[in-house]
Amino acid sequence: MKKSLFILTAFWTLSVVTGRAEVKLPAIFSDHMVLQSDTAASVWGWAEPGETVSVSFAGQTKAATTDAGGKWALKLDKIKAGAEPQTLTVKGRNELAVHDVLIGEVWLCSGQSNMEMQVKGGLHGQVDNADEEIAAAKYPEIRMFVFRQTYAIYELPAPPDSPLSDRPGEWLVCSPETVARFSATAYFFGRDLHRALGAPVGLIHSSVGGTPIEAWTSLEAQRSGPALRPVLDEWQQKLASYDAEREQQNFLSAKAVWLKQRVAAQAKGEPAPKAPLPFKNLRVMGPGGLFNGMIAPLVPYTIRGVIWYQGERNADGPHGIYYGAQLKMLIADWRARWGDQFYFAWVQLPRFKAEQHTPDEPNGWGVSIRDEMRKTLSVPRTGMAITIDLGGGDGGASDEQGGLRPASVVARPA
């Protein structure tokens, strides 16, 4: 027995050591990826501390040595856009090969339900003429990176309290078989870009419906100055004793009791009691949470820019006047972490709810958010799409997570 235990322990120890020695890449460096053209693209990963790692791609080879924590990073020389599939090879004590790599334009696509809405899927409806759009989506040079598991404001798990270095995900090649899962806004943006430039397009999708902007900016950045103190103070009070797992269990218990009460009421011909309020995972919406879980694992993958479609959650709260400061901070935070002044474009909130009769009406839905978005155009290398005059009698259909269906925008791209 002792001998067997010794052998098992030795085998486990050897496995751990061997695992540590292996060169590893983050999930975003995987088959079908798109590397940014005409700039020095970043490549990074992990291996044994002090190990030399080489990366070969498109006729060039670069090398780096891992630091004390086992991380290595390097930059490739600039490469022209090209649709010919190539292989990226990484060598250390072991060798990895990433196949079907294209070179083109790479954009990060983030926000709430407007960005999360799929061409045709279970999230927030579908675009107009979805079946026709899907049948025509034969664009193998458009690829989208998606995380295998995302977050949701009505579900567990909660995001981590510190930035993740990696999360499982994969690149999907655009086709009639895959495009239904694509973010609709991102897909039509990428399709237009591909048609205009004739280059491959990589779309990195990272969005969660119903979430406020403060969830997407690092907590470190938000704490760096007094401008957002009222927003952070309110969240601190909400999260002081909040436990997502406990709150979900309390909801499930209350729901079980309610279901029994409803059956009993129906049997007596009486009105059913009011259902308990649904579980809401505040950790998903709290400052910095989604930065840690959905943005940090992507840094510093080289991109041309960001498209951002968000704002409804902040429009529903009392702090809309801070949105301009929040958006400027998010842009500055992401640019600093990437070490690049990349382009950043957003969609101004569409019309929704009650009609606004005067331009300066203070109580119309989203008025302050739209104006704060407009003011943020003072930030260099930014742009804004105006959608308030596009389609939809109410400006879009509300989804269950508090966002909007951007069908009038994505279904009729310019």
Side-chain angles (χ1 to χ4, degrees), residues 333-380:
D333 184 33
W334 289 11
R335 284 176 171 175
R337 292 176 184 277
W338 259 270
D340 182 25
Q341 295 296 304
F342 48 62
Y343 294 102
F344 197 104
W346 59 89
V347 181
Q348 193 181 44
L349 288 189
R351 58 180 178 172
F352 185 55
K353 297 188 177 180
E355 182 179 354
Q356 183 179 338
H357 297 286
T358 60
D360 61 346
E361 185 177 334
N363 298 320
W365 182 86
V367 172
S368 60
I369 300 294
R370 290 190 195 96
D371 196 41
E372 293 297 308
M373 287 177 162
R374 177 188 61 82
K375 293 176 183 177
T376 307
L377 288 170
S378 63
V379 177

Side-chain angles (χ1 to χ4, degrees), residues 182-195:
F182 280 31
S183 156
T185 299
Y187 167 65
F188 287 113
F189 169 81
R191 189 184 72 177
D192 285 358
L193 197 62
H194 174 60
R195 288 175 173 176

Side-chain angles (χ1 to χ4, degrees), residues 231-407:
V231 178
L232 295 180
D233 286 347
E234 181 176 293
W235 274 111
Q236 185 175 7
Q237 294 177 10
K238 289 181 179 178
L239 298 174
S241 60
Y242 181 83
D243 181 272
E245 289 78 7
R246 182 190 65 213
E247 293 299 322
Q248 186 194 53
Q249 188 55 53
N250 289 342
F251 164 69
L252 293 175
S253 298
K255 182 179 179 181
V257 172
W258 171 75
L259 288 173
K260 292 180 180 179
Q261 293 174 339
R262 187 179 67 171
V263 170
Q266 290 174 340
K268 297 177 182 179
E270 299 175 351
K274 187 177 181 179
L277 293 175
F279 162 71
K280 187 174 289 186
N281 192 345
L282 295 184
R283 292 288 180 187
V284 172
M285 297 186 285
L290 292 177
F291 172 85
N292 292 338
M294 299 285 285
I295 299 300
L298 304 172
V299 180
Y301 194 85
T302 307
I303 59 177
R304 182 69 73 191
V306 175
I307 57 171
W308 174 255
Y309 202 169
Q310 189 276 338
E312 289 78 7
R313 176 58 66 183
N314 294 88
D316 285 337
H319 300 307
I321 59 173
Y322 297 103
Y323 193 85
Q326 290 179 298
L327 184 55
K328 290 177 182 178
M329 181 173 287
L330 181 144
I331 296 169
D333 184 33
W334 289 11
R335 284 176 171 175
R337 292 176 184 277
W338 259 270
D340 182 25
Q341 295 296 304
F342 48 62
Y343 294 102
F344 197 104
W346 59 89
V347 181
Q348 193 181 44
L349 288 189
R351 58 180 178 172
F352 185 55
K353 297 188 177 180
E355 182 179 354
Q356 183 179 338
H357 297 286
T358 60
D360 61 346
E361 185 177 334
N363 298 320
W365 182 86
V367 172
S368 60
I369 300 294
R370 290 190 195 96
D371 196 41
E372 293 297 308
M373 287 177 162
R374 177 188 61 82
K375 293 176 183 177
T376 307
L377 288 170
S378 63
V379 177
R381 298 169 72 86
T382 61
M384 182 175 75
I386 300 171
T387 64
I388 198 167
D389 57 346
L390 294 181
D394 59 0
S398 175
D399 69 48
E400 64 178 4
Q401 291 188 321
L404 298 176
R405 280 180 22 205

